[in-house]
Amino acid sequence: MIYQGQAIQVIALEDNIFELRFDREGSSINKFDEQALTEFKAAIEALQGQSNIAGVLVSSAKDAFIVGADITMFHGVFARSEEEIVEMNLGLNQIFNALEDLPCPTVTAINGLALGGGFELCLSTDYRVMADSAKVGLPEVKLGIFPGWGGSVRLPRLIGVDNAIEWICSGNEKRADKALFEGAADVVVSVDQVRAAALDLLAQCQAGKVDYLARRAEKTSPVKLTPMDAMMAFETAKGFVAGKAGPHYPAPVAAIKAMQKHAAMGRDKALEVEAKAFAKVAKTDVCANLVGLFLSDQQIKKVSASHVEGAAKVGQAAVLGAGIMGGGIAYQSAVKGTPILMKDINEQAIQTGLDEASRLLSGQVERGRMDSKKMAASLSRIRPTLSYGDFAEVDLVVEAVVENPKVKGMVLAEVEKQVDKDTILTSNTSTISISRLAESLQRPENFCGMHFFNPVHRMPLVEVIRGEKTSDAAIAATVAYAQKMGKTPIVVNDCPGFLVNRILFPYFGGFAKLLEAGVELARIDKVMERFGWPMGPAYLLDVVGLDTAVHANGVMAEGFPDRMASDNPSAIAKLVEQGRLGQKSGSGFYNYEKDRKGKLRKQPAPEIQALLDSVVTEKRDFSDEEIIAAMMVPLCMETVRCLEDNIVASAAEADMGLIYGIGFPPFRGGALRYIDAMGVAEFCQLADSFAGLGNLYKPTDKLRAMAADNQRFYS
Ligand code: NAD
């Protein structure tokens, strides 16, 4: 042993070969945190001090190779000045360069996942031997940055510009066969053979059978493309990637620009270009927000882990109602391995539910994500029924019948008589109070809300709603089942609309205010889509269903009359009166027609102009910024209230709920991060400037106190 740290050891093997081994004490993974980086430098210095060094094997003693840099360091590091970030990266790059420049061949044995900085380490050795089960990749763009430890320099020189752009700009993990085919890996073997194969490759280098210096020179020289070819490759990619990433995610295009700029340079100059461009993206709000989201996601996973401790296993589930939601829930449960009974009172509905599940599964098969055997197995896990015959064996029931408190109360009381005394009952209601529904049950402690979002297979969020009498055991089983279904559960307390709809409806309230001021609806949609929403509010309402929105709005107005009730009949209610229910009826704020692929396309609906004119109370001009504020302030204010009212336990859970549940633009980090970015005092000022639009815009006393105290939601 020539070096022994807490994260890295350097072991002398036979024949002057040394093994640089990553093996973090007391952890199941290796990552590049401050400790590992400090030790990495010391370990390389120890290797540089070996006079007869004949080869270096880089390895990991964990199942994964190195999962990347420690993302919890990022906010602190990126808070430094641009110059300091450049200095820091260039300093770290010297360690990677020192490994690359050792006077002997170097090989990495990639036994498992190697991501980000972990894969950049692999790139700095001469060769990579990879396990067939391992994956590698550079996912930095997902955090609003791009590889800054030489990845943007070495990868295009190793696998070609086009491939490197795809790897870096998609941020996707790559399997071993792909890495081998494109030249990022040199040998692929089974995981138990990786170390031996890497040592064998070192022996071949020593024997002069492989020219490792020529290989090394490729990575340290300019990219091998004529200026014309380089120009073509980079310019075409820039247009394509900019179109895909959209205007709010600058990192992928910044990565291409950096690669273009340093393509004709040798390694050291190229690394300087990389460091400067990296520092620029690291300083963007987008990066801060995406890193924040990553950390919030980790926090949510920890919270969920604490909820599911001792959870009863759901081996058999059931769903009541085979409609849009029931069908989706059955599909999701089945595809993720939990058998589910799907009960309806209508045979036709059951057939429709099954057809939908079958359509989704065929889509997976067509896209090569599933084979027909797995499809058949998934389908067989859905057992359709018109009776309660098999309900005695069910561990958890999701009620997803029509949104009517009387019907739901009746159905829940009925099913409670058919199931075991420990069976958990849940409701997928969007609006009805869980504590109120619990009144129809003998065992209200076994009952909670399990609110999915439409379409179930695509939307990641499940709100798990705790009623007054809900037990921890019911929450535990429901959270565990949601996780098993591949969803992100967030536990919230009961109130009208729960967390997500309680926040969404004030946003629609802002939209109604703009219509009352005579602002054109297509313009509102366009401004909010440019702001980053996947669809504008009018379009979103059409997708939700205008009748559903009117119904939910009634529940919200009853629950929060001070700010959500309105004397004026809204445009939405008037459209419903005319039979315009949104996409489901072919018309709402827009008209809908099927295109050649059968997809619904929206068209303007000039015939509703008179109706829109009739809701205008006082015409007023709004700039684009004012439209954004009129829409976002009520949404943000209601998020603040949910946190203050303890509907949701933390800022992170509130923000992630909005991102996963209603597509809040991720790069803006969520409502509370949005307030933080603006400054709490500035936000209150902005809200006050809209006071004339009603109580939805009124900051709470607590928020004003936060502003006075210069506090934030995130430290
Ligand atoms: P849907 O009308 O498509 O389906 C309801 C189904 O329930 C119908 O097939 C009906 O035959 C069946 N049903 C009625 N009474 C029944 C009974 N006694 N036993 C068994 N089945 C019965 O409705 P949906 O859109 O799937 O909504 C279902 C629930 O999910 C509602 O509470 C709704 O608020 C909630 N939800 C809907 C959405 C959405 O976007 N559609 C999103 C989240 C939650």
Side-chain angles (χ1 to χ4, degrees):
M1 186 91 65
I2 62 163
Y3 178 80
Q4 169 80 57
Q6 289 168 20
I8 301 176
Q9 299 140 16
V10 183
I11 306 146
L13 307 176
E14 287 172 355
D15 303 326
N16 286 319
I17 303 280
F18 292 86
E19 179 168 1
L20 175 74
R21 187 162 67 185
F22 284 77
D23 187 10
R24 183 58 185 247
E25 257 175 47
S27 170
S28 58
I29 53 156
N30 289 314
K31 63 181 171 188
F32 271 126
D33 54 10
E34 266 184 55
Q35 176 80 24
L37 286 169
T38 309
E39 291 187 15
F40 184 34
K41 183 164 190 276
I44 298 293
E45 281 165 2
L47 287 168
Q48 284 174 321
Q50 299 302 308
S51 50
N52 293 322
I53 188 164
V56 171
L57 164 71
V58 180
S59 70
S60 157
K62 312 288 188 201
D63 288 342
F65 178 72
I66 299 176
V67 294
D70 179 8
I71 296 167
T72 59
M73 307 189 307
F74 284 12
H75 274 150
V77 169
F78 298 165
R80 298 177 194 168
S81 72
E82 229 174 279
E83 294 72 29
E84 285 170 317
I85 298 172
V86 172
E87 280 308 302
M88 184 195 65
N89 269 19
L90 290 179
L92 289 171
N93 272 320
Q94 282 179 16
I95 320 175
F96 290 88
N97 292 351
L99 172 61
E100 189 165 53
D101 295 340
L102 283 172
C104 64
T106 53
V107 178
T108 314
I110 309 174
N111 59 314
L113 199 61
L115 296 179
F119 184 52
E120 287 177 294
L121 165 69
C122 307
L123 291 175
S124 64
T125 58
D126 299 324
Y127 295 102
R128 284 146 296 282
V129 174
M130 198 168 162
D132 53 11
S133 53
K135 282 187 182 166
V136 295
L138 295 169
E140 285 83 348
V141 289
K142 295 182 179 166
L143 296 175
I145 47 175
F146 64 83
W149 293 348
S152 87
V153 173
R154 294 188 176 95
L155 197 61
R157 285 158 176 77
L158 192 66
I159 67 172
V161 166
D162 291 344
N163 288 336
I165 288 174
E166 197 275 315
W167 281 53
I168 290 173
C169 294
S170 74
N172 290 340
E173 292 173 13
K174 306 290 179 188
R175 293 205 321 239
D177 49 356
K178 172 112 171 149
L180 182 68
F181 181 71
E182 294 185 359
D186 302 284
V187 179
V188 171
V189 289
S190 62
V191 68
D192 53 327
Q193 297 294 316
V194 172
R195 193 167 177 281
L199 286 170
D200 181 58
L201 190 49
L202 281 175
Q204 289 187 48
C205 293
Q206 275 179 312
K209 290 186 190 155
V210 210
D211 186 357
Y212 73 92
L213 286 173
R215 190 70 203 273
R216 185 178 292 183
E218 283 173 13
K219 284 190 290 150
T220 51
S221 316
V223 170
K224 284 193 190 64
L225 274 184
T226 64
M228 188 62 185
D229 287 345
M231 208 252 308
M232 287 291 288
F234 286 116
E235 290 303 324
T236 318
K238 253 190 267 175
F240 175 73
V241 169
K244 260 199 130 170
H248 300 300
Y249 296 88
V253 172
I256 301 179
K257 284 186 181 161
M259 285 191 267
Q260 182 169 23
K261 197 163 174 193
H262 65 52
M265 299 175 184
R267 180 192 70 189
D268 294 351
K269 282 269 161 239
L271 286 172
E272 285 174 25
V273 171
E274 179 191 82
K276 282 188 188 146
F278 176 91
K280 282 214 155 51
V281 286
K283 296 294 297 173
T284 56
D285 285 347
V286 176
C287 169
N289 285 332
L290 293 178
V291 170
L293 287 195
F294 177 88
L295 300 177
S296 294
D297 201 46
Q298 300 285 100
Q299 186 183 332
I300 284 175
K301 285 192 180 117
K302 273 194 202 140
V303 173
S304 288
S306 69
H307 283 304
V308 299
E309 253 172 57
K313 191 173 172 284
V314 176
Q316 173 69 53
V319 61
L320 301 177
I324 301 174
M325 297 306 286
I329 292 164
Y331 161 82
Q332 192 66 24
S333 182
V335 85
K336 293 292 178 181
T338 308
I340 186 158
L341 284 163
M342 181 168 71
K343 180 184 179 302
D344 206 292
I345 46 173
N346 177 339
E347 210 167 340
Q348 182 53 43
I350 288 190
Q351 196 48 51
T352 312
L354 281 177
D355 290 348
E356 178 65 4
S358 174
R359 190 186 64 83
L360 290 170
L361 287 165
S362 306
Q364 299 273 25
V365 174
E366 272 161 31
R367 267 174 247 123
R369 294 201 191 132
M370 186 185 279
D371 58 27
S372 45
K373 225 167 125 189
K374 189 163 177 228
M375 171 173 170
S378 297
L379 260 185
S380 73
R381 283 191 206 103
I382 305 178
R383 217 175 340 143
T385 177
L386 288 166
S387 79
Y388 286 116
D390 293 323
F391 270 60
E393 63 187 71
V394 169
D395 303 307
L396 186 145
V397 178
V398 186
E399 170 279 307
V401 305
V402 283
E403 186 75 352
N404 176 319
K406 269 201 195 126
V407 177
K408 281 192 190 288
M410 220 177 62
V411 169
L412 284 166
E414 195 176 88
V415 71
E416 191 183 38
K417 293 197 185 85
Q418 308 292 330
V419 295
D420 185 80
K421 65 175 185 10
D422 293 327
T423 300
I424 307 301
L425 300 184
T426 70
S427 173
N428 183 44
T429 175
S430 313
T431 52
I432 307 166
S433 157
I434 292 303
S435 300
R436 186 169 153 207
L437 284 177
E439 285 167 11
S440 48
L441 293 171
Q442 300 292 317
R443 298 184 291 272
E445 66 279 9
N446 285 357
F447 177 63
C448 65
M450 188 175 194
H451 184 215
F452 291 84
F453 292 77
N454 188 16
V456 177
H457 67 283
R458 214 174 288 141
M459 299 301 284
L461 180 67
V462 172
E463 281 179 290
V464 176
I465 303 125
R466 190 191 283 276
E468 277 161 22
K469 298 193 173 154
T470 304
S471 67
D472 287 345
I475 295 288
T478 309
V479 168
Y481 179 47
Q483 281 182 324
K484 174 95 193 292
M485 289 171 93
K487 299 294 170 191
T488 301
I490 292 184
V491 178
V492 300
N493 282 320
D494 195 15
C495 71
F498 317 126
L499 173 72
V500 169
N501 280 335
R502 175 168 160 184
I503 294 171
L504 180 63
F505 277 82
Y507 173 79
F508 289 148
F511 174 61
K513 297 283 174 201
L514 288 172
L515 292 183
E516 285 171 19
V519 186
E520 198 201 340
L521 79 89
R523 177 164 167 236
I524 304 172
D525 269 7
K526 209 184 274 168
V527 169
M528 296 318 288
E529 281 163 20
R530 246 187 275 133
F531 177 82
W533 285 92
M535 50 184 93
Y539 188 23
L540 178 59
L541 278 159
D542 275 355
V543 172
V544 168
L546 299 186
D547 52 339
T548 307
V550 167
H551 172 78
N553 203 45
V555 177
M556 308 302 293
E558 199 186 316
F560 307 103
D562 64 315
R563 55 187 185 276
M564 297 200 202
S566 164
D567 296 336
N568 307 330
S570 72
I572 308 173
K574 288 189 170 191
L575 286 167
V576 172
E577 275 168 24
Q578 292 195 358
R580 301 180 73 104
L581 308 184
Q583 279 192 340
K584 63 174 124 175
S585 71
S587 68
F589 282 106
Y590 298 94
N591 291 327
Y592 294 88
E593 279 167 22
K594 278 196 177 156
D595 68 9
R596 266 184 298 153
K597 286 185 185 159
K599 276 210 164 146
L600 284 180
R601 294 273 169 229
K602 71 174 161 58
Q603 307 288 343
E607 68 273 25
I608 65 167
Q609 195 50 52
L611 182 151
L612 293 175
D613 290 343
S614 75
V615 300
V616 177
T617 48
E618 193 186 340
K619 216 165 165 48
R620 193 187 133 183
D621 280 341
F622 276 77
S623 68
D624 288 358
E625 281 67 34
E626 286 170 331
I627 290 178
I628 292 168
M631 294 294 304
M632 293 302 293
V633 168
L635 178 149
C636 292
M637 268 321 310
E638 204 58 38
T639 314
V640 170
R641 288 194 179 92
C642 283
L643 194 61
E644 288 181 5
D645 295 351
N646 196 30
I647 297 305
V648 65
S650 65
E653 286 161 282
D655 279 345
M656 293 309 279
L658 296 179
I659 289 166
Y660 287 155
I662 51 174
F664 188 103
F667 69 94
R668 295 199 187 270
L672 301 175
R673 277 191 201 281
Y674 183 69
I675 298 179
D676 269 359
M678 190 181 292
V680 178
E682 288 76 2
F683 177 82
C684 287
Q685 250 173 31
L686 179 70
D688 285 337
S689 72
F690 284 91
L693 291 185
N695 285 342
L696 280 177
Y697 293 81
K698 198 169 161 197
T700 60
D701 293 343
K702 265 194 178 171
L703 193 71
R704 289 198 197 281
M706 277 181 75
D709 257 13
N710 221 355
Q711 284 179 29
R712 303 164 56 83
F713 289 99
Y714 294 88
S715 49

